[in-house]
Amino acid sequence: MVNVVVVGSQWGDEGKGKIVDWLSERADVVVRFQGGHNAGHTLVIDGVTFKLSVLPSGVVRKNTVGVIGNGVVIDPHALISEIDRLVKQGVGVSPENLKIADNATLILSVHGNLDALREDTSARGTKIGTTRRGIGPAYEDKVGRRAIRVMDLANPDTLPAKVDRLLSHHNALLRGFGREEIDPSVILDELASVAAQILPYRETVWRYLDDKRRAGKRILFEGAQGTLLDVDHGTYPFVTSSNTVAGQAAAGSGLGPNALHYVLGITKAYTTRVGEGPFPTEQENEIGQFLGEKGHEFGTVTGRKRRCGWFDAVLVRQAVSINGITGIALTKLDVLDGLEEIKICVGYRLDGEVIDYFPASQGQQARVEPIYETMEGWKDTTAGARSWNELPAQAVKYVRHVEELIGAPVALLSTSPERDDTILVHDPFQD
């Protein structure tokens, strides 16, 4: 059986929710392998809308198991709230269909407080644009080897020493901000209040997934954010705090990389990003406004308005290489309907030289200037198309040129938010 990894190939918000929903119907297990509740997917199933932020999309399907891998940082209160919300929508969530890695890191209230303090006190021009949900500080504790993990909830006798170690670091930071220190009892009470609700879901996930793989089950790995927000390969420091690329599916789940067979890169037919940082093809004009309004470009979790611009083939080609993308799902093609002309970035000028990649240096990223090709737009609509024959000739030409420029074929083409408005070229789960 083929296992599939879904990753964003831009700055996130590429429309992964619809594609993951479409694929999860074919999967036996759906795994979240990185990130936290700072990113979200919107799924529409039988007319019912589900907004997920940390839960894997498989949870909402009757015959699919959702898994939260060790690469995810979990806010237990947000998780419990999300579970409760799904239950009210008629979704049965139980230890039978939700597994949480026992070695996953927990996000605590102190993490959110520090996240907000850092953003509020950052000098002008140095704000990262975080969601202030404690994701970064939680990952810092993980690599600093002082994190509280899911498994620790089952061992209350050892928690006081671990909390003391954690707070010896964080209270020093709070003193530096001129804020009151946190008493260990606050964190211990916080953990005690969620233990009974979280522990029933804990699982030795690496072993569970290995058993499913050996049994020939189809596993879908879903990532959050996008390649350009990867902490190593993105627009650092304006990135998230985890690795968002396909390789993290193995590290963040405990399943070996030889079990990752097909990498599907979700790619928007134009480009958007949320928050601070470089954006070479951004259009702060009527084109950007057109794309934002027609594409309803607001964040699922935060509601923040997204910055909009032309498709950047250089960035996506780079993402194809870094992730080992097998094929792409091109989304929101219909947003381009009605434009007289459409531009595609095919290279950059940097200090007078032409380059064909996005440099890692923050200073160079800020100085690159896009080189555009201009294509004729189309007047006819692509919205709702479910076959190539229903697409205007210029739209087909645009898609084919995108394939050529990024070096990856289109496996799926999305022409509206509706799940059935999808042109299937190649099923990623096909053997």
Side-chain angles (χ1 to χ4, degrees):
M1 286 291 184
V2 172
N3 299 323
V4 177
V5 183
V6 173
V7 294
S9 67
Q10 295 156 304
W11 276 289
D13 307 312
E14 300 97 348
K16 290 187 291 295
K18 171 185 169 177
I19 303 301
V20 167
D21 172 33
W22 190 89
L23 289 169
S24 65
E25 193 173 38
R26 295 156 171 76
D28 299 298
V29 181
V30 181
V31 185
R32 264 290 300 273
F33 59 85
Q34 52 77 217
H37 64 305
N38 57 337
H41 292 166
T42 300
L43 312 179
V44 181
I45 300 175
D46 297 328
V48 180
T49 299
F50 302 96
K51 292 184 180 294
L52 307 179
S53 58
V54 68
L55 285 173
S57 58
V59 170
V60 302
R61 295 204 170 275
K62 292 181 180 179
N63 299 315
T64 306
V65 177
V67 173
I68 298 177
N70 58 275
V72 179
V73 288
I74 303 168
D75 182 323
H77 300 287
L79 176 62
I80 292 167
S81 176
E82 193 169 330
I83 290 172
D84 289 344
R85 187 167 66 248
L86 285 186
V87 169
K88 290 177 182 177
Q89 289 186 275
V91 177
V93 181
S94 73
E96 296 301 312
N97 69 340
L98 175 62
K99 313 289 183 181
I100 301 176
D102 57 2
N103 54 341
T105 293
L106 294 176
I107 301 173
L108 308 176
S109 56
V110 64
H111 295 136
N113 293 337
L114 283 170
D115 205 355
L117 278 171
R118 287 172 175 171
E119 282 291 280
D120 290 340
T121 57
S122 293
R124 184 178 180 182
T126 64
K127 290 183 184 292
I128 303 301
T130 78
T131 56
R132 301 167 180 253
R133 299 185 179 214
I135 310 298
Y139 274 116
E140 289 175 32
D141 278 350
K142 178 178 179 176
V143 299
R145 293 164 290 188
R146 55 181 172 265
I148 306 299
R149 303 193 290 178
V150 171
M151 65 179 71
D152 294 325
L153 297 175
N155 298 286
D157 291 343
T158 64
L159 269 177
K162 293 188 176 188
V163 170
D164 283 343
R165 184 170 187 272
L166 178 138
L167 287 181
S168 68
H169 174 79
H170 288 302
N171 278 335
L173 293 175
L174 289 170
R175 286 196 301 272
F177 282 111
R179 302 304 169 95
E180 186 177 348
E181 293 186 18
I182 296 174
D183 189 277
S185 64
V186 172
I187 302 299
L188 290 169
D189 289 346
E190 182 181 335
L191 294 170
S193 71
V194 298
Q197 293 165 282
I198 298 295
L199 284 174
Y201 298 104
R202 71 172 175 149
E203 180 66 72
T204 307
V205 159
W206 68 265
R207 185 171 61 183
Y208 174 83
L209 292 177
D210 189 55
D211 289 344
K212 294 301 179 183
R213 178 188 65 84
R214 292 176 185 276
K217 301 299 183 181
R218 288 177 166 178
I219 305 174
L220 174 65
F221 299 86
E222 61 171 321
Q225 290 99 19
T227 300
L228 296 169
L229 292 176
D230 183 275
V231 69
D232 289 307
H233 301 287
T235 49
Y236 191 90
F238 304 101
V239 292
T240 194
S241 301
S242 61
N243 288 112
T244 62
V245 294
Q248 179 63 18
S253 68
L255 199 59
N258 63 335
L260 312 179
H261 304 129
Y262 191 105
V263 180
L264 182 68
I266 314 302
T267 307
K268 194 177 288 185
Y270 50 101
T271 310
T272 64
R273 83 168 295 174
V274 171
E276 307 297 325
F279 184 172
T281 64
E282 182 174 12
Q283 298 297 298
E284 298 180 274
N285 52 29
E286 66 278 3
I287 292 296
Q289 184 176 352
F290 172 87
L291 295 172
E293 291 178 356
K294 192 169 181 182
H296 305 290
E297 295 297 351
F298 297 91
T300 298
V301 171
T302 64
R304 291 190 294 179
K305 185 178 180 180
R306 297 172 187 147
R307 299 154 62 190
C308 300
W310 295 119
F311 185 81
D312 192 328
V314 180
L315 291 179
V316 177
R317 184 171 63 244
Q318 200 156 313
V320 167
S321 177
I322 291 169
N323 289 285
I325 288 174
T326 315
I328 67 166
L330 191 66
T331 64
K332 291 198 168 185
L333 182 67
D334 55 299
V335 175
L336 301 180
D337 291 353
L339 289 172
E340 292 284 345
E341 62 178 29
I342 299 169
K343 294 184 178 182
I344 302 176
C345 175
V346 296
Y348 301 127
R349 285 189 180 86
L350 175 62
D351 301 332
E353 294 186 12
V354 175
I355 61 173
D356 62 356
Y357 67 97
F358 196 53
S361 161
Q362 181 181 354
Q364 290 181 330
Q365 288 176 356
R367 296 200 307 276
V368 296
E369 300 175 0
I371 300 171
Y372 290 115
E373 282 187 2
T374 301
M375 297 186 67
E376 182 184 345
W378 54 88
K379 291 296 183 183
D380 295 330
T381 183
T382 64
R386 299 182 182 181
S387 72
W388 286 106
N389 292 335
E390 298 177 54
L391 295 175
Q394 273 306 123
V396 174
K397 186 176 180 181
Y398 179 79
V399 173
R400 294 306 187 199
H401 195 42
V402 164
E403 290 179 313
E404 178 185 6
L405 289 170
I406 67 174
V410 169
L412 295 95
L413 184 63
S414 174
T415 57
S416 93
E418 298 297 323
R419 72 186 308 276
D420 291 332
D421 292 341
T422 304
I423 299 172
L424 176 62
V425 181
H426 176 79
D427 187 346
F429 275 122
Q430 186 176 7
D431 292 335

